[in-house]
Each structure stands twice: as structure tokens, then as C-alpha cells.
Amino acid sequence: MNKDIYIVISQTGTKFSRFLHIFNRTPYNHASIALDGGMDTLYSFGRQCLWLPIASGFVREAPGRGIYRRYKDTQCAVYRVTVSDSQHARLAEAIRRFEEEEWAYRYNFLGLLTMMAGIPFRRRHHFVCSQFVAYVLYQSGLWGLDKDISLARPQDFAALPGVQLVYQGRLNDCKMAQPRRLKIVHGAA
């Protein structure tokens, strides 16, 4: 039996995300991953304290709460990937390891600079959001791109094998309009 996972790329509008937009020139600068269509919990790397962006690391996010409550107009694209039961179990296990030692993980500010320069660089226990999503996909056997995971950017997830765009719009509307099951957006492919 297969299961669906969801990769969410978004743009909150924070000062930091607007700064990233200057360099990336892409609509989305943040990446998260959800283990089911309810999207009650999105896993990522980002700010752990709403008012102090420098305090960043492994986070659990949720539409309508935390940063998404403050930045209600956060825009996103949601991608669905159908995976096997064993891949889903490996993905859940990889995320569980982060949860068990979340205090040991930090945001990879240096890695963000090397990523922008196109230089592969990995630091133990340090990730940016897209590196984290790529890492757990890699650990699960789902990273199908010919690119070092330290160079993964949010827009890269649209090119994963078997990925399907299922929603574009306000993140908080996605959660409220379809709390249990996401449906394919007409015209999205």
C-alpha cells in the first residue's frame, strides 16, 4: 500500500524571506515536509522564536499557528509525492531522530551562504530548510535529483520524480479549506 507525503514551499514575507528573495529571485524561499494530507505538522528548519529570527533550528510548523498566524498571507505551493510504506516509515524515522535531539540542531547560516555561491558544504547538525527536506528525503531513498543535498533549494522539489502540484495559494486557506485531504488543483501539473 502506498502513502502520500507533502512538500510545502512558501514565502512568508518576513524581512529574512524578503532578503532571500533578492538573491534567489524565486517566488518561494522556505521548504517544509508533512507526512500526511492533514498537514497538521510541517517539519522544517526555521525560527524557533517568533520575535528573534537568529534563534533558529529544527521546527514543527502548522498552518494558522506560529509564524503563519502572524504572516497570514503566506503564499505556498504544495506538492504531493506517493511513496511506499517502507519509504514512508524511513521518512518518519528520519524525522523522529531530529525530534529526539532537536536541541542539537541549528540553522545553517554559513551553509546558506555557500549554497548561494553554489559550493557544496555540509555541517554536522546544521541545516537550512531546504537542506533538511532534501536530507530526510535522501535518508528515505526519495531524493531523486542529481544535486548535492547541501545545494537543494525550495524550487528544486518541483522536479522530484513523481511529484505532483496539488495546491497553490495562501497556506492558511489550504489548511482551512481542506483539513484532511488535498485535492489536485485544476490546471496544476
Side-chain angles (χ1 to χ4, degrees):
M1 183 174 194
N2 292 328
K3 295 183 178 180
D4 293 331
I5 62 165
Y6 295 84
I7 298 169
V8 179
I9 59 175
S10 60
Q11 174 69 16
T12 59
T14 64
K15 288 179 184 175
F16 186 63
S17 69
R18 289 192 312 256
F19 171 76
L20 291 175
H21 180 72
I22 292 169
F23 292 99
N24 292 334
R25 300 188 194 281
T26 60
Y28 306 109
N29 292 305
H30 183 65
S32 307
I33 190 164
L35 295 174
D36 61 51
M39 291 183 22
D40 296 322
T41 305
L42 305 173
Y43 302 95
S44 189
F45 268 66
R47 58 173 73 193
Q48 294 170 318
C49 174
L50 190 57
W51 307 106
L52 187 60
I54 198 82
S56 301
F58 177 74
V59 293
R60 290 167 206 81
E61 304 167 325
R65 288 186 264 158
I67 194 81
Y68 302 127
R69 183 178 194 159
R70 182 164 182 215
Y71 292 90
K72 293 177 169 110
D73 289 328
T74 295
Q75 296 296 305
C76 75
V78 179
Y79 295 93
R80 178 176 57 208
V81 182
T82 301
V83 300
S84 69
D85 283 342
S86 63
Q87 289 171 321
H88 192 274
R90 287 194 304 267
L91 180 61
E93 174 62 21
I95 292 171
R96 186 190 61 74
R97 287 193 302 268
F98 278 88
E99 289 181 303
E100 285 181 349
E101 297 183 1
E102 67 183 276
W103 52 268
Y105 293 97
R106 296 288 171 249
Y107 195 84
N108 193 4
F109 289 103
L110 180 57
L112 185 62
L113 296 174
T114 59
M115 178 195 311
M116 289 180 178
I119 302 167
F121 177 71
R122 296 187 195 184
R123 287 177 71 192
R124 181 177 162 93
H125 293 129
H126 288 75
F127 295 87
V128 301
C129 58
S130 55
Q131 291 169 342
F132 163 74
V133 174
Y135 177 81
V136 296
L137 291 172
Y138 177 80
Q139 292 294 308
S140 311
L142 295 166
W143 181 247
L145 300 180
D146 187 24
K147 183 178 205 174
D148 191 274
I149 61 173
S150 69
L151 296 175
R153 294 176 182 233
Q155 65 270 19
D156 293 334
F157 299 110
L160 285 172
V163 73
Q164 186 174 33
L165 177 65
V166 293
Y167 178 82
Q168 275 187 300
R170 284 178 14 122
L171 179 61
N172 290 338
D173 290 345
C174 174
K175 172 67 178 166
M176 289 184 267
Q178 300 158 346
R180 286 289 152 229
R181 199 86 182 130
L182 294 174
K183 301 201 187 313
I184 295 177
V185 175
H186 295 290

